[in-house]
Amino acid sequence: MKISRLLALLLLASPLAALAQTKPTTTTTPSKTTTTTTKPTTAPAGTQQQTEVTEDLDPETGKVIRRTTRTINVPVGTTASPTSTSPSSTTTMDAPVGPATDAQVTAFLRKKTTVSTLTTTGLLSAYELFMERVRSDRANWTPTNWANAAAIMSALNDRYQQLRSSFSLDDKLTIRSQQGEFQALRTAKQISTQVSDKL
């Protein structure tokens, strides 16, 4: 029963993950967009050039794995490109995050937690508490809340990598499904934000 539930969660997360991988604007890896305005050198009259740099980040390490630069012409006086005008755009939600501190993890899980001392059983429990909190509270989350949650997940993932060989196959599948569910929920929020910003 437990394995079939995990497989069902993985099957639900797979289409979103596949969609995210096939469309550059909806990747599962976090992106950071920076816009720089330059003097109009070859821009038509009444326009100025803006350079937009998009960085795709590894969700576990926060390191840049791909950087894309494009230059566009926009009307004079435009301060940001259309993809980054909203304060709730992907720039805040996708900002690279490092692992959270023990105090942040404790506050998020609402249970005293020292990540570096978690055992396999404690880590499984922490992932479960984490996902319960994400499922129950995500409807009202701001991009900052999502970034904080990603930092908590990063801390748990770091500990998982240290203890990985100690977990059974079922436990590994449970953790992987929770990691996948979090990424799917976060990607779904990013997609809905991007769509609502364009409407």
Side-chain angles (χ1 to χ4, degrees), residues 60-90:
E60 291 185 9
T61 63
K63 294 181 180 176
V64 176
I65 56 175
R66 180 177 53 223
R67 181 175 289 123
T68 308
T69 304
R70 72 177 186 153
T71 302
I72 57 173
N73 293 327
V74 296
V76 172
T78 305
T79 57
S81 70
T83 59
S84 59
T85 56
S86 168
S88 63
S89 70
T90 58

PDB file of all heavy atoms in Angstrom, residues 60-90:
ATOM      1  N   GLU A  60      19.676  21.655  -5.691  1.00  0.00           N
ATOM      2  CA  GLU A  60      20.295  21.124  -4.478  1.00  0.00           C
ATOM      3  C   GLU A  60      21.467  21.973  -4.009  1.00  0.00           C
ATOM      4  O   GLU A  60      21.659  22.174  -2.822  1.00  0.00           O
ATOM      5  CB  GLU A  60      20.734  19.681  -4.693  1.00  0.00           C
ATOM      6  CG  GLU A  60      19.554  18.723  -4.842  1.00  0.00           C
ATOM      7  CD  GLU A  60      19.989  17.287  -4.940  1.00  0.00           C
ATOM      8  OE1 GLU A  60      21.187  17.005  -4.720  1.00  0.00           O
ATOM      9  OE2 GLU A  60      19.136  16.447  -5.241  1.00  0.00           O
ATOM     10  N   THR A  61      22.284  22.466  -4.948  1.00  0.00           N
ATOM     11  CA  THR A  61      23.487  23.204  -4.552  1.00  0.00           C
ATOM     12  C   THR A  61      23.343  24.703  -4.710  1.00  0.00           C
ATOM     13  O   THR A  61      24.081  25.453  -4.085  1.00  0.00           O
ATOM     14  CB  THR A  61      24.699  22.756  -5.396  1.00  0.00           C
ATOM     15  OG1 THR A  61      24.456  23.072  -6.771  1.00  0.00           O
ATOM     16  CG2 THR A  61      24.958  21.265  -5.236  1.00  0.00           C
ATOM     17  N   GLY A  62      22.403  25.150  -5.546  1.00  0.00           N
ATOM     18  CA  GLY A  62      22.235  26.578  -5.783  1.00  0.00           C
ATOM     19  C   GLY A  62      23.272  27.153  -6.738  1.00  0.00           C
ATOM     20  O   GLY A  62      23.337  28.350  -6.949  1.00  0.00           O
ATOM     21  N   LYS A  63      24.098  26.285  -7.358  1.00  0.00           N
ATOM     22  CA  LYS A  63      25.132  26.765  -8.280  1.00  0.00           C
ATOM     23  C   LYS A  63      24.551  26.953  -9.679  1.00  0.00           C
ATOM     24  O   LYS A  63      23.627  26.263 -10.077  1.00  0.00           O
ATOM     25  CB  LYS A  63      26.289  25.762  -8.337  1.00  0.00           C
ATOM     26  CG  LYS A  63      27.035  25.654  -7.019  1.00  0.00           C
ATOM     27  CD  LYS A  63      28.179  24.690  -7.127  1.00  0.00           C
ATOM     28  CE  LYS A  63      28.914  24.590  -5.799  1.00  0.00           C
ATOM     29  NZ  LYS A  63      29.978  23.600  -5.840  1.00  0.00           N
ATOM     30  N   VAL A  64      25.134  27.891 -10.421  1.00  0.00           N
ATOM     31  CA  VAL A  64      24.696  28.166 -11.785  1.00  0.00           C
ATOM     32  C   VAL A  64      25.131  27.011 -12.684  1.00  0.00           C
ATOM     33  O   VAL A  64      26.302  26.641 -12.706  1.00  0.00           O
ATOM     34  CB  VAL A  64      25.298  29.492 -12.306  1.00  0.00           C
ATOM     35  CG1 VAL A  64      24.910  29.724 -13.753  1.00  0.00           C
ATOM     36  CG2 VAL A  64      24.861  30.657 -11.433  1.00  0.00           C
ATOM     37  N   ILE A  65      24.151  26.420 -13.403  1.00  0.00           N
ATOM     38  CA  ILE A  65      24.495  25.353 -14.335  1.00  0.00           C
ATOM     39  C   ILE A  65      24.360  25.800 -15.793  1.00  0.00           C
ATOM     40  O   ILE A  65      24.897  25.162 -16.685  1.00  0.00           O
ATOM     41  CB  ILE A  65      23.653  24.081 -14.094  1.00  0.00           C
ATOM     42  CG1 ILE A  65      22.156  24.386 -14.152  1.00  0.00           C
ATOM     43  CG2 ILE A  65      24.020  23.434 -12.783  1.00  0.00           C
ATOM     44  CD1 ILE A  65      21.266  23.161 -14.037  1.00  0.00           C
ATOM     45  N   ARG A  66      23.629  26.914 -16.024  1.00  0.00           N
ATOM     46  CA  ARG A  66      23.517  27.468 -17.379  1.00  0.00           C
ATOM     47  C   ARG A  66      23.162  28.939 -17.273  1.00  0.00           C
ATOM     48  O   ARG A  66      22.343  29.333 -16.470  1.00  0.00           O
ATOM     49  CB  ARG A  66      22.442  26.717 -18.170  1.00  0.00           C
ATOM     50  CG  ARG A  66      22.292  27.247 -19.591  1.00  0.00           C
ATOM     51  CD  ARG A  66      21.287  26.464 -20.422  1.00  0.00           C
ATOM     52  NE  ARG A  66      20.011  26.369 -19.755  1.00  0.00           N
ATOM     53  CZ  ARG A  66      19.272  25.252 -19.687  1.00  0.00           C
ATOM     54  NH1 ARG A  66      19.695  24.158 -20.254  1.00  0.00           N
ATOM     55  NH2 ARG A  66      18.122  25.247 -19.057  1.00  0.00           N
ATOM     56  N   ARG A  67      23.802  29.755 -18.107  1.00  0.00           N
ATOM     57  CA  ARG A  67      23.532  31.189 -18.131  1.00  0.00           C
ATOM     58  C   ARG A  67      23.178  31.578 -19.558  1.00  0.00           C
ATOM     59  O   ARG A  67      23.901  31.264 -20.499  1.00  0.00           O
ATOM     60  CB  ARG A  67      24.757  31.968 -17.648  1.00  0.00           C
ATOM     61  CG  ARG A  67      24.543  33.471 -17.621  1.00  0.00           C
ATOM     62  CD  ARG A  67      25.729  34.217 -17.027  1.00  0.00           C
ATOM     63  NE  ARG A  67      25.796  33.965 -15.598  1.00  0.00           N
ATOM     64  CZ  ARG A  67      26.867  33.452 -14.973  1.00  0.00           C
ATOM     65  NH1 ARG A  67      27.944  33.148 -15.652  1.00  0.00           N
ATOM     66  NH2 ARG A  67      26.860  33.254 -13.678  1.00  0.00           N
ATOM     67  N   THR A  68      22.046  32.277 -19.719  1.00  0.00           N
ATOM     68  CA  THR A  68      21.588  32.714 -21.028  1.00  0.00           C
ATOM     69  C   THR A  68      21.473  34.232 -21.022  1.00  0.00           C
ATOM     70  O   THR A  68      20.905  34.800 -20.090  1.00  0.00           O
ATOM     71  CB  THR A  68      20.210  32.098 -21.356  1.00  0.00           C
ATOM     72  OG1 THR A  68      20.275  30.697 -21.179  1.00  0.00           O
ATOM     73  CG2 THR A  68      19.791  32.423 -22.773  1.00  0.00           C
ATOM     74  N   THR A  69      22.016  34.882 -22.055  1.00  0.00           N
ATOM     75  CA  THR A  69      21.953  36.336 -22.168  1.00  0.00           C
ATOM     76  C   THR A  69      21.237  36.697 -23.460  1.00  0.00           C
ATOM     77  O   THR A  69      21.506  36.101 -24.503  1.00  0.00           O
ATOM     78  CB  THR A  69      23.375  36.934 -22.189  1.00  0.00           C
ATOM     79  OG1 THR A  69      24.071  36.504 -21.030  1.00  0.00           O
ATOM     80  CG2 THR A  69      23.325  38.437 -22.202  1.00  0.00           C
ATOM     81  N   ARG A  70      20.317  37.665 -23.359  1.00  0.00           N
ATOM     82  CA  ARG A  70      19.669  38.167 -24.583  1.00  0.00           C
ATOM     83  C   ARG A  70      19.502  39.670 -24.467  1.00  0.00           C
ATOM     84  O   ARG A  70      19.310  40.207 -23.373  1.00  0.00           O
ATOM     85  CB  ARG A  70      18.333  37.475 -24.838  1.00  0.00           C
ATOM     86  CG  ARG A  70      17.236  37.869 -23.899  1.00  0.00           C
ATOM     87  CD  ARG A  70      15.922  37.184 -24.261  1.00  0.00           C
ATOM     88  NE  ARG A  70      14.873  37.708 -23.408  1.00  0.00           N
ATOM     89  CZ  ARG A  70      13.612  37.757 -23.744  1.00  0.00           C
ATOM     90  NH1 ARG A  70      13.236  37.306 -24.911  1.00  0.00           N
ATOM     91  NH2 ARG A  70      12.723  38.247 -22.915  1.00  0.00           N
ATOM     92  N   THR A  71      19.577  40.350 -25.599  1.00  0.00           N
ATOM     93  CA  THR A  71      19.414  41.797 -25.649  1.00  0.00           C
ATOM     94  C   THR A  71      18.159  42.093 -26.452  1.00  0.00           C
ATOM     95  O   THR A  71      17.970  41.562 -27.543  1.00  0.00           O
ATOM     96  CB  THR A  71      20.635  42.458 -26.308  1.00  0.00           C
ATOM     97  OG1 THR A  71      21.797  42.091 -25.569  1.00  0.00           O
ATOM     98  CG2 THR A  71      20.502  43.956 -26.319  1.00  0.00           C
ATOM     99  N   ILE A  72      17.302  42.955 -25.886  1.00  0.00           N
ATOM    100  CA  ILE A  72      16.052  43.305 -26.556  1.00  0.00           C
ATOM    101  C   ILE A  72      15.923  44.821 -26.612  1.00  0.00           C
ATOM    102  O   ILE A  72      16.558  45.532 -25.834  1.00  0.00           O
ATOM    103  CB  ILE A  72      14.833  42.699 -25.821  1.00  0.00           C
ATOM    104  CG1 ILE A  72      14.789  43.151 -24.353  1.00  0.00           C
ATOM    105  CG2 ILE A  72      14.817  41.191 -25.916  1.00  0.00           C
ATOM    106  CD1 ILE A  72      13.534  42.731 -23.607  1.00  0.00           C
ATOM    107  N   ASN A  73      15.122  45.312 -27.541  1.00  0.00           N
ATOM    108  CA  ASN A  73      14.831  46.738 -27.648  1.00  0.00           C
ATOM    109  C   ASN A  73      13.476  47.008 -27.002  1.00  0.00           C
ATOM    110  O   ASN A  73      12.496  46.329 -27.307  1.00  0.00           O
ATOM    111  CB  ASN A  73      14.794  47.180 -29.118  1.00  0.00           C
ATOM    112  CG  ASN A  73      16.159  47.088 -29.761  1.00  0.00           C
ATOM    113  OD1 ASN A  73      17.165  47.295 -29.106  1.00  0.00           O
ATOM    114  ND2 ASN A  73      16.192  46.755 -31.037  1.00  0.00           N
ATOM    115  N   VAL A  74      13.446  47.967 -26.101  1.00  0.00           N
ATOM    116  CA  VAL A  74      12.212  48.340 -25.402  1.00  0.00           C
ATOM    117  C   VAL A  74      12.027  49.843 -25.521  1.00  0.00           C
ATOM    118  O   VAL A  74      12.979  50.571 -25.784  1.00  0.00           O
ATOM    119  CB  VAL A  74      12.263  47.918 -23.907  1.00  0.00           C
ATOM    120  CG1 VAL A  74      12.335  46.407 -23.772  1.00  0.00           C
ATOM    121  CG2 VAL A  74      13.422  48.571 -23.190  1.00  0.00           C
ATOM    122  N   PRO A  75      10.801  50.345 -25.314  1.00  0.00           N
ATOM    123  CA  PRO A  75      10.587  51.795 -25.388  1.00  0.00           C
ATOM    124  C   PRO A  75      11.452  52.521 -24.358  1.00  0.00           C
ATOM    125  O   PRO A  75      11.704  52.018 -23.270  1.00  0.00           O
ATOM    126  CB  PRO A  75       9.099  51.954 -25.060  1.00  0.00           C
ATOM    127  CG  PRO A  75       8.488  50.633 -25.392  1.00  0.00           C
ATOM    128  CD  PRO A  75       9.555  49.616 -25.125  1.00  0.00           C
ATOM    129  N   VAL A  76      11.904  53.718 -24.716  1.00  0.00           N
ATOM    130  CA  VAL A  76      12.729  54.518 -23.815  1.00  0.00           C
ATOM    131  C   VAL A  76      11.956  54.771 -22.530  1.00  0.00           C
ATOM    132  O   VAL A  76      10.767  55.062 -22.551  1.00  0.00           O
ATOM    133  CB  VAL A  76      13.123  55.859 -24.490  1.00  0.00           C
ATOM    134  CG1 VAL A  76      13.820  56.776 -23.494  1.00  0.00           C
ATOM    135  CG2 VAL A  76      14.013  55.613 -25.682  1.00  0.00           C
ATOM    136  N   GLY A  77      12.639  54.641 -21.419  1.00  0.00           N
ATOM    137  CA  GLY A  77      12.015  54.857 -20.115  1.00  0.00           C
ATOM    138  C   GLY A  77      11.551  53.575 -19.448  1.00  0.00           C
ATOM    139  O   GLY A  77      11.175  53.577 -18.293  1.00  0.00           O
ATOM    140  N   THR A  78      11.583  52.456 -20.165  1.00  0.00           N
ATOM    141  CA  THR A  78      11.204  51.180 -19.566  1.00  0.00           C
ATOM    142  C   THR A  78      12.317  50.763 -18.622  1.00  0.00           C
ATOM    143  O   THR A  78      13.487  50.756 -18.991  1.00  0.00           O
ATOM    144  CB  THR A  78      10.994  50.103 -20.647  1.00  0.00           C
ATOM    145  OG1 THR A  78      10.033  50.591 -21.574  1.00  0.00           O
ATOM    146  CG2 THR A  78      10.520  48.802 -20.046  1.00  0.00           C
ATOM    147  N   THR A  79      11.941  50.409 -17.391  1.00  0.00           N
ATOM    148  CA  THR A  79      12.967  50.095 -16.391  1.00  0.00           C
ATOM    149  C   THR A  79      13.257  48.614 -16.264  1.00  0.00           C
ATOM    150  O   THR A  79      14.270  48.235 -15.721  1.00  0.00           O
ATOM    151  CB  THR A  79      12.561  50.624 -15.009  1.00  0.00           C
ATOM    152  OG1 THR A  79      11.300  50.054 -14.662  1.00  0.00           O
ATOM    153  CG2 THR A  79      12.473  52.133 -15.016  1.00  0.00           C
ATOM    154  N   ALA A  80      12.362  47.741 -16.706  1.00  0.00           N
ATOM    155  CA  ALA A  80      12.599  46.300 -16.594  1.00  0.00           C
ATOM    156  C   ALA A  80      11.908  45.603 -17.746  1.00  0.00           C
ATOM    157  O   ALA A  80      10.961  46.106 -18.319  1.00  0.00           O
ATOM    158  CB  ALA A  80      12.077  45.771 -15.273  1.00  0.00           C
ATOM    159  N   SER A  81      12.386  44.414 -18.068  1.00  0.00           N
ATOM    160  CA  SER A  81      11.781  43.652 -19.150  1.00  0.00           C
ATOM    161  C   SER A  81      10.427  43.124 -18.710  1.00  0.00           C
ATOM    162  O   SER A  81      10.162  42.989 -17.529  1.00  0.00           O
ATOM    163  CB  SER A  81      12.691  42.492 -19.545  1.00  0.00           C
ATOM    164  OG  SER A  81      12.708  41.533 -18.518  1.00  0.00           O
ATOM    165  N   PRO A  82       9.538  42.768 -19.651  1.00  0.00           N
ATOM    166  CA  PRO A  82       8.203  42.297 -19.300  1.00  0.00           C
ATOM    167  C   PRO A  82       8.216  41.061 -18.410  1.00  0.00           C
ATOM    168  O   PRO A  82       7.302  40.836 -17.675  1.00  0.00           O
ATOM    169  CB  PRO A  82       7.553  41.978 -20.656  1.00  0.00           C
ATOM    170  CG  PRO A  82       8.321  42.776 -21.646  1.00  0.00           C
ATOM    171  CD  PRO A  82       9.699  42.925 -21.098  1.00  0.00           C
ATOM    172  N   THR A  83       9.254  40.249 -18.482  1.00  0.00           N
ATOM    173  CA  THR A  83       9.271  39.025 -17.689  1.00  0.00           C
ATOM    174  C   THR A  83       9.647  39.266 -16.252  1.00  0.00           C
ATOM    175  O   THR A  83       9.541  38.367 -15.440  1.00  0.00           O
ATOM    176  CB  THR A  83      10.256  38.006 -18.292  1.00  0.00           C
ATOM    177  OG1 THR A  83      11.561  38.600 -18.309  1.00  0.00           O
ATOM    178  CG2 THR A  83       9.839  37.561 -19.659  1.00  0.00           C
ATOM    179  N   SER A  84      10.109  40.471 -15.909  1.00  0.00           N
ATOM    180  CA  SER A  84      10.512  40.680 -14.519  1.00  0.00           C
ATOM    181  C   SER A  84       9.915  41.948 -13.915  1.00  0.00           C
ATOM    182  O   SER A  84      10.474  42.520 -13.020  1.00  0.00           O
ATOM    183  CB  SER A  84      12.041  40.737 -14.429  1.00  0.00           C
ATOM    184  OG  SER A  84      12.537  41.780 -15.230  1.00  0.00           O
ATOM    185  N   THR A  85       8.753  42.380 -14.420  1.00  0.00           N
ATOM    186  CA  THR A  85       8.147  43.590 -13.888  1.00  0.00           C
ATOM    187  C   THR A  85       7.381  43.351 -12.598  1.00  0.00           C
ATOM    188  O   THR A  85       7.247  44.238 -11.791  1.00  0.00           O
ATOM    189  CB  THR A  85       7.186  44.210 -14.920  1.00  0.00           C
ATOM    190  OG1 THR A  85       6.225  43.224 -15.285  1.00  0.00           O
ATOM    191  CG2 THR A  85       7.918  44.725 -16.128  1.00  0.00           C
ATOM    192  N   SER A  86       6.871  42.159 -12.401  1.00  0.00           N
ATOM    193  CA  SER A  86       6.059  41.887 -11.217  1.00  0.00           C
ATOM    194  C   SER A  86       6.924  41.581 -10.022  1.00  0.00           C
ATOM    195  O   SER A  86       7.901  40.849 -10.133  1.00  0.00           O
ATOM    196  CB  SER A  86       5.143  40.688 -11.501  1.00  0.00           C
ATOM    197  OG  SER A  86       4.559  40.242 -10.310  1.00  0.00           O
ATOM    198  N   PRO A  87       6.576  42.101  -8.841  1.00  0.00           N
ATOM    199  CA  PRO A  87       7.361  41.788  -7.660  1.00  0.00           C
ATOM    200  C   PRO A  87       7.255  40.322  -7.278  1.00  0.00           C
ATOM    201  O   PRO A  87       8.081  39.816  -6.559  1.00  0.00           O
ATOM    202  CB  PRO A  87       6.757  42.681  -6.572  1.00  0.00           C
ATOM    203  CG  PRO A  87       5.421  43.102  -7.084  1.00  0.00           C
ATOM    204  CD  PRO A  87       5.494  43.032  -8.560  1.00  0.00           C
ATOM    205  N   SER A  88       6.230  39.614  -7.759  1.00  0.00           N
ATOM    206  CA  SER A  88       6.095  38.204  -7.429  1.00  0.00           C
ATOM    207  C   SER A  88       6.591  37.316  -8.556  1.00  0.00           C
ATOM    208  O   SER A  88       6.255  36.151  -8.629  1.00  0.00           O
ATOM    209  CB  SER A  88       4.631  37.883  -7.133  1.00  0.00           C
ATOM    210  OG  SER A  88       3.850  38.107  -8.289  1.00  0.00           O
ATOM    211  N   SER A  89       7.391  37.859  -9.469  1.00  0.00           N
ATOM    212  CA  SER A  89       7.885  37.062 -10.584  1.00  0.00           C
ATOM    213  C   SER A  89       8.928  36.065 -10.097  1.00  0.00           C
ATOM    214  O   SER A  89       9.302  36.031  -8.951  1.00  0.00           O
ATOM    215  CB  SER A  89       8.472  37.973 -11.662  1.00  0.00           C
ATOM    216  OG  SER A  89       9.670  38.537 -11.198  1.00  0.00           O
ATOM    217  N   THR A  90       9.427  35.256 -11.036  1.00  0.00           N
ATOM    218  CA  THR A  90      10.317  34.173 -10.668  1.00  0.00           C
ATOM    219  C   THR A  90      11.647  34.641 -10.115  1.00  0.00           C
ATOM    220  O   THR A  90      12.376  33.848  -9.556  1.00  0.00           O
ATOM    221  CB  THR A  90      10.577  33.282 -11.902  1.00  0.00           C
ATOM    222  OG1 THR A  90      11.124  34.102 -12.923  1.00  0.00           O
ATOM    223  CG2 THR A  90       9.312  32.617 -12.378  1.00  0.00           C
TER     224      THR A  90
END
